[in-house]
Amino acid sequence: MDTPSASFAPLVPGMVGMVLVGSSVSVSHALVDAPLFTAQAVRYAAATAILLLLARLTGTRPVRPRGREWLWLAGLAVTGLVLFNVAVVRGVAHAEPAVIAVAVASVPVVLGVLGPLLERRAPSRQVLLAAPVVVAGAVLVEGTGRTDAAGVAWAALALGCEAAFTLLAVPVLGRHTPWGVSVHASWLGAVLFAVLGVTREGPRAAAELTGQQWAAVGYLALLVTAVAFVLWYSTVRTVGAGRAGLLTGIAPLAAAAAGTATGTGVPGPSVWLGIAVVIGGLVGGLRASRARGAVVAEDAAPRTASSPTSTRSR
């Protein structure tokens, strides 16, 4: 049986990834007035270049998708990258940002149920019990706000797209590894956003970006895309989508911490309570799973080893 420290280690990349995602909230404010599609196209194009460079330095060689893999990866880019950003932007026009954030924070429940099914395993009882606790804590951290029917619809779409970002990667992680999935998702996202940018914002929209906005795009490309994608998919591949889904509760905590550090205000009592609830949910769900660490590893091993390219040099 795995020791607690050995069982906890695979979770660390996903935790760091969620901290980076949470930190992006304050950075993204710089892009509020920027041409959305063009800025995102630049972000994902830059992330692709960074990923290819890092992959080469680590000895990893992404492989070309084949057959149905194109559908999984294209679906990931369309939903997890493009539609998600559109849903967030359009959603805040009908609802306060907290409404969209709370919807997205509900992703642990979706991943806890659907993730194991895609991995051909039964959902973990510990994860299913912990997921609502993490969601409740995230609601306290993010707060609630006004909305209308359209806002609810956009929030639901954002939730579905956020879940799809992880779920659609599960079938291809074995052959492509976290590096390959991140590379293909990024370049596909760059192409899709570039088409939208040229048709909706014009071919010269990039010239409208200010120095501060370029810096924000660079931060998002390097840390929130290139680095966070690989870290997140590494944990999903190792521990499964259901268990990894609990870690998404870290993002609102990181966002609250980043807000405090940047001087946007000290969290109120409800936020501190929410932080405590999220931590409690994470400890309960992940600690319960640790006791079965060896079983989880045995479940995951056949899926990884079954691919003829899964052992290639990194």
Side-chain angles (χ1 to χ4, degrees):
M1 182 176 294
D2 292 350
T3 62
S5 59
S7 179
F8 180 77
L11 300 171
V12 174
M15 296 173 69
V16 175
M18 284 299 105
V19 169
L20 293 174
V21 170
S23 71
S24 71
V25 174
S26 57
V27 175
S28 296
H29 281 304
L31 299 176
V32 171
D33 298 323
L36 171 66
F37 300 129
T38 300
Q40 295 295 336
V42 173
R43 167 191 175 180
Y44 287 111
T48 301
I50 295 170
L51 282 164
L52 289 173
L53 175 61
L54 293 178
R56 183 170 184 176
L57 292 175
T58 58
T60 303
R61 182 178 297 177
V63 297
R64 180 185 177 88
R66 61 191 182 192
R68 294 183 179 179
E69 292 174 349
W70 282 108
L71 297 178
W72 293 110
L73 292 167
L76 190 162
V78 170
T79 58
L81 303 186
V82 178
L83 284 180
F84 175 78
N85 281 282
V86 172
V88 171
V89 172
R90 296 292 181 262
V92 295
H94 296 270
E96 293 182 6
V99 175
I100 308 299
V102 167
V104 173
S106 301
V107 75
V109 176
V110 179
L111 295 182
V113 174
L114 298 182
L117 296 180
L118 279 175
E119 296 159 349
R120 299 182 180 180
R121 294 189 289 108
S124 165
R125 180 184 178 187
Q126 286 77 14
V127 171
L128 292 180
L129 291 175
V133 177
V134 174
V135 171
V139 170
L140 288 171
V141 172
E142 299 288 357
T144 57
R146 63 164 186 83
T147 185
D148 55 23
V152 172
W154 285 116
L157 179 60
L159 168 60
C161 291
E162 178 69 6
F165 175 76
T166 296
L167 294 175
L168 295 180
V170 170
V172 292
L173 273 172
R175 177 171 182 262
H176 288 276
T177 76
W179 286 96
V181 172
S182 299
V183 167
H184 292 305
S186 294
W187 77 258
L188 285 168
V191 170
L192 292 170
F193 274 119
V195 171
L196 289 171
V198 171
T199 57
R200 301 293 299 274
E201 298 165 346
R204 299 182 179 180
E208 300 176 13
L209 296 173
T210 66
Q212 184 180 18
Q213 290 170 342
W214 277 108
V217 168
Y219 179 90
L220 294 174
L222 174 60
L223 295 179
V224 184
T225 306
V227 174
F229 277 22
V230 173
L231 292 176
W232 176 248
Y233 286 136
S234 296
T235 292
V236 171
R237 187 189 190 197
T238 304
V239 307
R243 191 179 178 202
L246 293 176
L247 301 179
T248 59
I250 295 175
L253 308 189
T260 302
T262 55
T264 57
V266 178
S270 64
V271 174
W272 289 112
L273 176 60
I275 290 173
V277 172
V278 169
I279 292 174
L282 290 173
V283 171
L286 299 178
R287 185 177 182 181
S289 296
R290 278 190 216 170
R292 302 179 298 108
V295 177
V296 172
E298 290 174 4
D299 286 342
R303 294 191 300 278
T304 302
S306 62
S307 172
T309 59
S310 62
T311 56
R312 62 181 177 276
S313 173
R314 296 186 136 228

